[in-house]
């Protein structure tokens, strides 16, 4: 039984729209008592997988079209902006000093994704019509994964009067066009949607885009005859007092009733900046015919607003959000989220690896991506044909882990591939080992920030060690490119591409749970 995976999600605030994708691999590292076993003697048959680097330091080993020598200038002609040090996946950002964060930790709460606001029934108002029922978006469920919500950073909204004296009148608005907002519904100009109905007040209701919640909202402006959403009152309880009601979220298919006869239908077209596909497989019967328990958890959350998670909690602070936007970096946010998660875990003999990719957009709608990881799952990005490794290998055999331990004054012996029987040097949990051996760590690797303009062609791939045990970084990138070419014309291409990559690991008979998250960033591309 592995550790319940820590909850990591995403946030969208004001113009900071963030997408969080994570893979957690939970492991019961030791099956014996609390005593740590002695390191086994190296064996070529037993440690073939262990002694092979998780990520090759030479990206040209098997795919000549890929290299890690990114341009050193801030912006090149292709439209990608990358810090000079991004070419080295071993470099770390500097943690900013004097940062104040909330102290609460929500690391091990049960995930509840896709919850929507439930309106309370009104005491009076028109009777619901069965034809006018809100059409909620469906959530896709994936084997071994958490449902993926619709990923939205903007929205177009159309209003159409479908009943009453002004039947057929319509109005259109865009969330990103501030000159069009807010929109007033009323009987006389200067209302944007003029409804010539004696029961409609001069200024009856107002619709605006909530950039924090990424939702359209309606508010009654103190009308005399009330405003009803799906036949439930949303005006102030004291009708006729001219007091404004509380903002209420709108969804596609909602029906707004002004007074008793004028009805306005809502039509939403959400703007999705990225496509996300998730595929998972426990890879049953890979070890001596024994069925494997699925220990991986993959999740995607957007937005984080209203979600009780560590990253959401940190980014709920206005100063923190402003600093991320101005500095174009979430390094300290990611590190602190991992620290809170580690502090909340009280597992002595169990450990968990984690890889998190954070994506956000600034006021110019440029895209920023930054990754943090512990353990042996990994993330790779491809930008305009260039391959960028976003994670670090924390297995004991990796160069970075061996160098870290040598800097601590406890160098590993030649050929030593395990510490206390474990082949990982960094993980969440496993408190007993960390107390016994200071070489174990919960400090995550945090990548540099990759900045993408609208002219970039890019994607990202996150996967657990089940994939990387049998497929190299370059081969994985090649598989994605093959999948994009094969499924490009199909609406569900992201899911198909994720399964295409997963199927290759299955063909190569990987011996571990395998989870893949594919993120298609071409959806945000705009050719000049």
């Amino acid at each position: 039984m592995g550790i319940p995976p820590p909850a990591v999600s995403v946030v969208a605030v004001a113009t900071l729209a963030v997408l969080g994708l994570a893979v957690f691999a939970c492991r019961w590292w030791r099956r014996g008592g609390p005593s740590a076993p002695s390191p086994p003697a190296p064996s070529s048959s037993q440690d073939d997988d262990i002694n092979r680097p998780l990520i090759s330091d030479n990206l040209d080993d098997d795919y000549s079209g890929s290299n890690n020598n990114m341009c050193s200038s801030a912006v090149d002609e292709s439209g990608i902006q990358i810090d000079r040090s991004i070419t080295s996946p071993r470099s770390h950002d500097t943690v900013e000093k004097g940062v104040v964060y909330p102290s609460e930790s929500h690391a091990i709460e049960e995930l509840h994704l896709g919850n929507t606001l439930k309106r309370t029934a009104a005491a009076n108002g028109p009777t619901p019509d069965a034809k006018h029922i809100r059409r909620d978006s469906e959530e896709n469920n994936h084997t071994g994964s958490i449902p993926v919500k619709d990923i939205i950073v903007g929205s177009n909204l159309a209003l159409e009067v479908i009943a009453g004296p002004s039947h057929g009148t319509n109005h259109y608005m865009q969330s990103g066009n501030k000159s069009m907002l807010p929109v007033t519904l009323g009987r006389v100009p200067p209302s944007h949607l003029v409804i010539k109905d004696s029961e409609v007040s001069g200024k009856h209701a107002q619709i605006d885009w909530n950039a924090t919640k990424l939702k359209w909202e309606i508010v009654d402006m103190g009308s005399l005859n009330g405003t009803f959403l799906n036949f439930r009152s949303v005006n102030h309880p004291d009708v006729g007092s001219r007091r404004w009601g509380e903002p209420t979220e709108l969804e596609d298919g909602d029906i707004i009733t002004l007074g008793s006869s004028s009805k306005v239908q809502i039509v939403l077209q959400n703007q999705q900046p990225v496509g996300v596909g998730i595929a998972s497989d426990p890879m049953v019967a890979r070890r001596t015919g024994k069925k494997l328990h699925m220990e991986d958890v993959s999740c995607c959350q957007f937005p984080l607003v209203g979600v009780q998670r560590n990253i959401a909690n940190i980014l709920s602070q206005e100063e923190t959000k402003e600093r991320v936007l101005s500095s174009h970096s979430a390094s300290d946010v990611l590190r602190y989220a991992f620290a809170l998660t580690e502090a909340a875990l009280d597992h002595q003999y169990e450990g968990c690896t984690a890889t998190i990719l954070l994506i956000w957009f600034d006021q110019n709608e440029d895209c920023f991506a930054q990754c943090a990881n512990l353990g042996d799952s990994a993330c790779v990005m491809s930008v305009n044909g260039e391959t960028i490794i976003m994670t670090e290998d924390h297995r004991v055999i990796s160069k970075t882990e061996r160098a870290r331990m040598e800097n601590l004054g406890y160098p590993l012996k030649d050929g030593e591939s395990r510490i206390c029987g474990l082949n990982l040097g960094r993980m969440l949990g496993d408190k007993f080992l960390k107390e016994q051996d200071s070489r174990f760590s919960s400090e995550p690797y945090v990548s540099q920030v990759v900045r993408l303009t609208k002219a970039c062609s890019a994607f990202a791939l996150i996967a657990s060690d089940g994939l990387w045990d049998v497929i190299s970084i370059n081969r994985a990138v090649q598989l994605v490119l093959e999948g994009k070419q094969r499924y490009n014309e199909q609406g569900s291409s992201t899911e198909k591409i994720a399964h295409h990559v997963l199927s290759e690991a299955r063909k190569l008979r990987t011996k571990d749970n395998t989870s893949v998250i594919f993120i298609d960033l071409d959806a945000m591309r705009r050719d000049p």
Side-chain angles (χ1 to χ4, degrees):
M1 179 71 70
I3 298 178
V8 181
S9 319
V10 206
V11 66
V13 287
T15 54
L16 175 64
V18 187
L19 164 67
L21 306 104
V23 169
F24 304 100
C26 307
R27 300 287 186 269
W28 191 346
W29 307 122
R30 286 158 304 287
R31 306 184 188 282
S35 60
S38 302
S43 167
S44 59
S45 60
Q46 181 181 5
D47 288 341
D48 284 344
D49 288 339
I50 296 174
N51 291 321
R52 180 176 56 79
L54 177 70
I55 300 175
S56 172
D57 292 319
N58 182 5
L59 287 179
D60 293 323
D61 284 348
D62 61 306
Y63 183 47
S64 59
S66 165
N67 77 61
N68 206 29
N69 297 318
M70 302 301 295
C71 59
S72 59
S73 60
V75 185
D76 67 9
E77 294 180 357
S78 64
I80 178 174
Q81 298 184 358
I82 303 178
D83 290 343
R84 184 186 301 259
S85 55
I86 190 63
T87 59
S88 171
R90 312 307 181 197
S91 59
H92 292 255
D93 279 345
T94 302
V95 180
E96 296 185 29
K97 304 299 181 182
V99 178
V100 179
Y101 293 117
S103 59
E104 304 87 28
S105 173
H106 306 282
I108 55 175
E109 290 183 315
E110 182 182 358
L111 292 175
H112 296 284
L113 307 187
N115 290 342
T116 57
L117 175 66
K118 294 181 175 59
R119 300 189 178 90
T120 56
N124 53 15
T127 304
D129 187 333
K131 295 186 295 182
H132 298 146
I133 299 176
R134 167 172 294 181
R135 300 189 296 272
D136 290 325
S137 60
E138 296 181 356
E139 297 176 347
N140 299 320
N141 202 353
H142 310 272
T143 304
S145 67
I146 293 174
V148 181
K149 286 187 64 178
D150 290 338
I151 302 166
I152 303 164
V153 294
S155 178
N156 302 325
L157 184 147
L159 301 173
E160 182 179 0
V161 182
I162 60 174
S166 294
H167 182 279
T169 305
N170 56 67
H171 187 80
Y172 175 81
M173 62 201 80
Q174 298 174 327
S175 62
N177 191 339
K178 295 182 179 179
S179 64
M180 301 174 69
L181 303 174
V183 171
T184 302
L185 287 65
R187 189 181 70 255
V188 296
S191 296
H192 299 87
L193 182 65
V194 177
I195 302 175
K196 297 179 180 179
D197 183 341
S198 60
E199 292 188 10
V200 175
S201 299
K203 292 184 177 180
H204 196 106
Q206 180 176 283
I207 295 176
D208 202 359
W209 173 252
N210 187 321
T212 300
K213 296 182 178 180
L214 298 181
K215 290 284 188 178
W216 291 101
E217 294 180 336
I218 185 170
V219 58
D220 181 89
M221 302 174 69
S223 66
L224 292 175
N225 294 306
T227 302
F228 304 88
L229 180 61
N230 298 330
F231 308 102
R232 292 188 175 92
S233 174
V234 296
N235 46 269
H236 190 276
D238 187 4
V239 179
S241 66
R242 293 293 187 178
R243 297 174 62 182
W244 285 38
E246 293 295 325
T248 306
E249 293 178 5
L250 296 173
E251 297 289 350
D252 184 42
D254 281 353
I255 300 296
I256 301 170
T257 303
L258 308 179
S260 63
S261 61
S262 291
K263 292 181 172 59
V264 180
Q265 185 172 31
I266 299 293
V267 179
L268 290 180
Q269 183 181 18
N270 293 323
Q271 302 167 359
Q272 299 187 2
V274 301
V276 179
I278 297 181
S280 298
D281 191 339
M283 299 298 175
V284 297
R286 296 299 187 196
R287 292 176 183 159
T288 64
K290 183 179 180 181
K291 185 175 181 180
L292 297 180
H293 174 68
M294 188 57 176
E295 296 174 324
D296 291 355
V297 174
S298 306
C299 63
C300 167
Q301 175 72 48
F302 186 95
L304 274 184
V305 175
V307 179
Q308 294 300 309
R309 306 288 174 256
N310 282 334
I311 290 181
N313 191 37
I314 296 169
L315 287 172
S316 66
Q317 306 298 305
E318 288 298 327
E319 292 182 0
T320 304
K321 292 182 290 189
E322 292 174 2
R323 186 174 59 257
V324 171
L325 282 172
S326 61
S327 67
H328 305 308
S329 175
S331 298
D332 50 356
V333 172
L334 289 167
R335 287 196 179 93
Y336 192 63
F338 270 81
L340 288 177
T341 303
E342 172 70 5
L345 294 177
D346 189 23
H347 294 78
Q348 293 295 309
Y349 308 112
E350 295 173 319
C352 176
T353 69
T355 296
I356 301 168
L357 180 65
L358 198 64
I359 299 174
W360 69 94
F361 298 81
D362 68 1
Q363 295 91 333
N364 300 319
E365 296 185 6
D366 283 349
C367 175
F368 299 82
Q370 192 167 22
C371 194
N373 83 294
L374 276 174
D376 50 6
S377 51
C379 173
V380 60
M381 289 189 68
S382 176
V383 183
N384 293 334
E386 301 285 355
T387 299
I388 308 170
I389 299 175
M390 301 291 287
T391 47
E392 189 174 79
D393 182 5
H394 293 151
R395 292 193 297 177
V396 174
I397 63 165
S398 72
K399 293 180 180 178
T400 53
E401 279 305 277
R402 299 184 83 87
R404 181 180 66 83
M405 294 176 192
E406 185 173 357
N407 291 335
L408 289 174
Y410 302 103
L412 294 168
K413 299 177 182 178
D414 291 341
E416 190 174 2
S417 61
R418 294 179 180 269
I419 304 175
C420 300
L422 194 62
N423 72 333
L424 287 178
R426 301 197 217 181
M427 75 292 286
L428 293 169
D430 242 327
K431 300 299 179 69
F432 175 77
L433 279 185
K434 291 171 182 172
E435 293 169 358
Q436 300 300 312
D437 196 321
S438 61
R439 290 177 292 182
F440 289 108
S441 172
S442 61
E443 176 69 20
Y445 168 78
V446 178
S447 76
Q448 294 287 335
V449 178
V450 175
R451 181 175 183 173
L452 309 174
T453 68
K454 299 182 186 69
C456 290
S457 175
F459 65 81
L461 187 72
I462 311 172
S464 60
D465 58 325
L467 181 78
W468 308 118
D469 284 346
V470 295
I471 295 177
S472 68
I473 287 285
N474 291 323
R475 176 56 179 157
V477 170
Q478 194 174 33
L479 287 168
V480 170
L481 294 174
E482 291 174 1
K484 283 174 70 68
Q485 186 175 10
R486 180 182 301 180
Y487 304 115
N488 191 39
E489 301 302 323
Q490 302 183 22
S492 58
S493 61
T494 54
E495 293 288 338
K496 292 182 181 295
I497 292 171
H499 281 281
H500 178 66
V501 176
L502 181 70
S503 66
E504 185 71 8
R506 189 181 296 115
K507 290 177 185 177
L508 295 173
R509 300 190 64 78
T510 182
K511 298 178 181 179
D512 206 347
N513 300 160
T514 305
S515 295
V516 174
I517 302 179
F518 167 65
I519 307 101
D520 186 4
L521 293 160
D522 282 351
M524 58 161 277
R525 185 174 180 179
R526 300 290 185 273
D527 293 326

